[in-house]
């Protein structure tokens, strides 16, 4: 050992002598070399490490920048609307409008050959609608993404947030009833304006709750956002049929029914705040963005183009004309509708994503692994935007292709869930990760096909109604599956895999869906047949005119 020095040492370099007395252990004036060197290493590390960075706290000018950017976006939308109107009101558009005042009959020589067409503005309509879906998705999931600071700020438990998210799926039912009342009275666009405006109001309430530290106000905002969701989401197939032709609707339906939301979640979650001081600014940004998107939708979106994209009656007109009661009675008597709704409840797989953390922690994994699995499943759920364009292209060759692809996806979902049931064990994390990703791919790929098929076989019921029924069944099924999983979990002895029996039940349900689709389901494509028959009639009329001219 070395005797403790009594002279002052140089401070030009870190030295083992420059230690706090408490860091040394003395025995009779002597210090142990091991303790000395250990303390010296700690001192070196602390001197080399940079000081901890304080969390970013927004200043007033940061709030002003966000508001200024939002104002610029709204002003830009006004300019885009002016340019769009000039194009739609051009000479060709006016001829199209004159040629299609009476669907199914020629309106004269002028513009008769261009009665049905797709306009390039359809992509702008889809983009604005997708922005609405993305903002509502981020708003609804913001508490889950920033769960740690939210529990500290509101002095609540994580279970309270998870329960709130589960309740949001149940709100699909009253939200759908509300949306149907509005669709028939004010039309599709105005209903969506109400939905995105209600979401903006909910976002501002949730922002103010972070400053008031009021969990009750936060719950009010979340419930409002949950009720606003169906007002927007139920319009996805109606938008597709209003602006896109009969053989190109799977892709816009994929974007509107879940693709845009999956992209929004993947982009937002990595940047969700983790400090209590930042939560208020995050909700302020969400509130401003939601408000700006509400203005963009109200300014840019048009109910329908000057001329329809296909020969069947436009969705906007059927929404105002066809009775909801009569449509629901027709659905209730069609076994094919029940089969598709049953499959859609499974393919939404919302219960699986809600239960991921509980499932993995039950078999010994941690929150980090659960987050990776959720991210993998979310990335896989973007598959609908890849498969849908393929289905649209194949449908031009044979209108039955989307049905065949949906059946293939359902069979692959069965195989994926079965494989996942076998690998849910400690030490098999990468296989669990892969099969959750695969389930995300197969179930999400089938979702737009199912929504479009429901719209096909329930025609002439409005697409907004068929989508609303499907999404409501999905929400109620998700809520029910989550509760059932907890009941089945409680019956499992401690030490066993608590979710094993639930997963095998899930496998049986998927097997039944595959059997029903393969041997019972009959795809009666009423809407496609109506569009094709109308186009054939138009072609026959045009050929007759040409023969008369000759």
């Amino acid at each position: 050992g070395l005797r403790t020095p009594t002279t002052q040492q140089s401070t030009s370099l870190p030295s083992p002598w420059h230690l706090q007395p408490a860091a040394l252990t003395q025995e009779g004036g002597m210090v142990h070399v091991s303790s000395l060197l250990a303390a010296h290493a700690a001192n070196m590390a602390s001197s080399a490490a940079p000081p901890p960075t304080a969390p970013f706290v927004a200043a007033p000018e940061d709030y002003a920048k966000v508001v200024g950017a939002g104002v610029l976006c709204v002003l830009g939308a006004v300019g885009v609307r002016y340019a769009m109107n000039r194009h739609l009101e051009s000479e060709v558009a006016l001829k199209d409008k004159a040629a299609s005042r009476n669907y199914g009959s020629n309106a004269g020589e002028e513009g008769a050959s261009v009665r049905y067409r797709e306009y390039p503005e359809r992509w702008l309509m889809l983009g604005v609608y997708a922005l609405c879906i993305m903002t509502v998705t981020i708003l609804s999931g913001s508490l889950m993404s920033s769960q740690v600071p939210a529990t500290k700020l509101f002095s609540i438990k994580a279970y309270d947030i998870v329960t709130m998210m589960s309740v949001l799926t149940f709100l699909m039912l009253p939200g759908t009833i509300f949306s149907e009342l509005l669709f028939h009275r004010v039309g599709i666009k105005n209903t969506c304006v109400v939905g995105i405006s209600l979401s903006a109001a909910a976002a501002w309430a949730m922002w103010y709750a972070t400053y008031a530290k009021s969990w009750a106000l936060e719950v009010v905002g979340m419930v409002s956002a949950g009720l606003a969701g169906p007002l927007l989401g139920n319009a996805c197939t109606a938008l597709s049929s209003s602006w896109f032709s009969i053989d190109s609707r799977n892709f816009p339906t994929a974007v509107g029914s879940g693709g845009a939301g999956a992209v929004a979640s993947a982009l937002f979650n990595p940047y969700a705040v983790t400090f209590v001081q930042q939560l208020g600014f995050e909700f302020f940004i969400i509130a401003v963005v939601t408000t700006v998107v509400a203005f963009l939708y109200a300014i840019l979106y048009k109910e329908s183009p000057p001329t329809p994209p296909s020969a069947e009656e436009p969705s906007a007109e059927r929404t105002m004309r066809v009775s909801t009661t009569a449509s629901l009675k027709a659905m209730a008597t069609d076994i094919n509708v029940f089969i598709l709704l049953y499959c859609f409840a499974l393919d939404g797989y919302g219960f699986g994503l809600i239960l991921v953390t509980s499932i993995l922690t039950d078999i010994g994994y941690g929150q980090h692994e659960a987050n990776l699995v959720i991210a993998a499943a979310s990335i896989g759920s973007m598959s609908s935007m890849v498969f849908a364009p393929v289905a649209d292209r194949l449908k031009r060759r044979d209108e039955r292709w989307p049905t065949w692809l949906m059946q293939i996806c359902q069979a692959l979902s069965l195989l994926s869930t079965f494989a996942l049931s076998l690998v849910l064990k400690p030490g098999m994390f990468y296989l669990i990760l892969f099969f959750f990703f695969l389930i995300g791919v197969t179930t999400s790929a089938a979702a737009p096909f199912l929504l479009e098929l429901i719209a096909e076989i329930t025609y002439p019921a409005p697409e907004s109604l068929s989508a609303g029924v499907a999404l409501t069944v999905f929400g109620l099924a998700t809520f029910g599956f989550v509760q059932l999983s907890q009941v089945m979990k409680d019956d499992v002895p401690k030490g066993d895999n608590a979710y094993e029996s639930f997963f095998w039940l899930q496998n049986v349900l998927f097997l039944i869906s595959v059997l029903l689709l393969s041997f019972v389901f009959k795809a009666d494509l009423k809407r496609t047949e109506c569009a094709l028959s109308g186009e054939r009639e138009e072609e026959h009329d045009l050929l007759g005119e040409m023969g008369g001219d000759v």
Side-chain angles (χ1 to χ4, degrees):
L2 301 174
R3 192 171 298 277
T4 306
T6 56
T7 58
Q8 183 68 31
Q9 303 292 322
S10 171
T11 59
S12 59
L13 292 174
S15 167
W17 312 118
H18 294 158
L19 302 173
Q20 296 297 326
L24 305 178
T25 55
Q26 288 188 315
E27 292 183 3
M30 303 292 289
V31 296
H32 292 294
V33 173
S34 59
S35 300
L36 191 67
L37 293 178
H40 174 52
N43 187 48
M44 288 285 289
S46 62
S47 62
T53 304
F56 167 78
V57 178
E61 54 266 26
D62 296 312
Y63 287 85
K65 290 177 182 178
V66 174
V67 174
V71 172
L72 290 177
C73 289
V74 173
L75 293 177
V78 174
V80 173
R81 172 60 185 257
Y82 175 75
M84 179 181 67
N85 284 343
R86 288 194 62 182
H87 177 264
L88 291 177
E89 293 173 2
S90 64
E91 182 178 358
V92 174
L94 290 175
K95 288 182 178 180
D96 290 348
K97 189 173 183 180
S100 60
R101 285 196 183 101
N102 235 340
Y103 300 110
S105 64
N106 282 321
E109 190 174 317
E110 181 181 1
S113 61
V114 286
R115 188 186 313 160
Y116 311 118
R117 60 172 293 186
E118 287 185 313
Y119 291 82
E121 283 79 8
R122 69 188 185 278
W123 299 111
L124 177 61
M125 301 301 112
L126 179 60
V128 173
Y129 179 75
L131 282 177
C132 294
I133 297 297
M134 293 172 77
T135 53
V136 170
T137 300
I138 291 175
L139 176 64
S140 301
S142 54
L143 275 182
M144 280 294 291
S145 301
S146 301
Q147 182 173 311
V148 173
T151 54
K152 294 178 181 179
L153 179 67
F154 296 114
S155 301
I156 57 174
K157 298 178 181 179
Y159 177 77
D160 297 327
I161 296 178
V162 174
T163 301
M164 193 66 234
M165 295 301 297
S166 178
V167 170
L168 288 183
T169 62
F170 188 79
L171 293 177
M172 289 294 300
L173 177 58
T176 295
I177 296 174
F178 186 31
S179 69
E180 281 306 309
L181 292 174
L182 289 177
F183 279 137
H184 283 274
R185 285 164 175 79
V186 299
I188 296 173
K189 176 184 177 178
N190 291 332
T191 300
C192 290
V193 169
V194 172
I196 190 63
S197 300
L198 182 58
S199 298
W204 286 111
M206 294 170 68
W207 166 71
Y208 184 76
T210 61
Y211 284 91
K213 298 182 179 180
S214 171
W215 174 242
L217 183 57
E218 194 76 12
V219 169
V220 170
M222 290 289 290
V223 170
S224 300
L227 290 173
L231 301 184
L232 287 164
N234 293 354
C236 62
T237 49
L239 177 144
S240 301
S241 63
S242 296
W243 282 91
F244 292 81
S245 64
I246 194 67
D247 55 0
S248 60
R249 293 176 183 171
N250 284 292
F251 177 71
T253 298
V255 172
S257 63
V263 172
S265 298
L267 294 176
F268 175 74
N269 287 338
Y271 298 99
V273 302
T274 55
F275 294 96
V276 175
Q277 303 96 312
Q278 300 170 334
L279 198 60
F281 188 56
E282 177 182 79
F283 276 98
F284 179 80
I285 293 176
I286 293 174
V288 170
V289 171
T290 308
T291 304
V292 169
V293 170
F295 277 105
L296 295 182
Y297 185 86
I299 293 170
L300 294 175
Y301 192 83
K302 294 181 71 68
E303 189 90 31
S304 59
T307 55
S310 295
E312 84 275 14
E313 185 180 8
S315 177
E317 295 189 9
R318 278 186 287 114
T319 299
M320 304 293 288
R321 183 178 63 81
V322 179
S323 167
T324 299
T325 304
S327 299
L328 290 175
K329 287 182 179 179
M331 292 182 189
T333 57
D334 192 339
I335 185 63
N336 295 306
V337 175
F338 282 97
I339 292 174
L340 293 179
L341 291 177
Y342 172 75
C343 294
F344 191 75
L346 293 176
D347 286 329
Y349 210 72
F351 59 91
L353 295 180
I354 291 176
L355 294 172
V356 162
T357 301
S358 181
I359 291 170
L360 291 186
T361 54
D362 181 71
I363 56 178
Y365 295 103
Q367 182 65 55
H368 175 67
E369 287 82 2
N371 291 340
L372 289 177
V373 169
I374 293 174
S378 299
I379 293 173
S381 65
M382 299 181 193
S383 63
S384 59
M385 294 192 293
V386 176
F387 285 91
V390 175
D392 287 332
R393 183 171 292 274
L394 292 174
K395 187 176 181 180
R396 297 185 182 103
R397 300 182 179 181
D398 192 317
E399 63 267 17
R400 295 171 295 178
W401 260 111
T403 304
W404 296 337
L405 288 175
M406 184 266 294
Q407 292 170 329
I408 292 171
C409 289
Q410 200 72 15
L412 292 176
S413 296
L414 169 62
L415 296 177
S416 301
T417 57
F418 179 76
L420 181 62
S421 304
L422 299 178
V423 302
L424 276 176
K425 299 174 182 178
M428 305 188 77
F429 174 72
Y430 289 106
L431 286 175
I432 295 173
L433 185 72
F434 172 74
F435 285 116
F436 260 111
F437 167 78
L438 199 58
I439 289 174
V441 170
T442 56
T443 56
S444 298
F449 303 151
L450 286 165
L451 284 174
E452 283 296 314
L453 278 172
I454 294 173
E456 288 277 358
I457 66 177
T458 58
Y459 183 84
E463 285 85 355
S464 58
L465 177 61
S466 62
V469 171
L471 293 172
T472 299
V473 169
F474 159 69
L476 296 178
T478 298
F479 183 81
F481 278 130
V482 170
Q483 305 308 314
L484 177 62
S485 70
Q486 301 309 299
V487 173
M488 298 179 69
K489 175 184 175 183
D490 293 338
D491 294 336
V492 176
K494 288 187 175 182
D496 295 341
N497 186 346
Y499 288 94
E500 184 175 8
S501 57
F502 176 73
F503 265 88
W504 283 108
L505 172 63
Q506 175 183 298
N507 293 335
V508 172
L509 295 177
F510 268 102
L511 176 61
I512 293 174
S513 72
V514 172
L515 295 176
L516 288 174
L517 288 175
S518 302
F519 302 106
V520 180
F521 176 71
K522 302 295 181 184
D524 185 6
L525 306 180
K526 299 176 184 176
R527 190 178 61 173
T528 296
E529 183 58 33
C530 179
L532 293 178
S533 62
E535 291 172 1
R536 285 193 292 266
E537 179 183 346
E538 177 189 16
E539 182 181 7
H540 176 76
D541 292 341
L542 291 174
L543 290 173
E545 289 181 2
M546 293 174 63
D549 293 339
V550 173

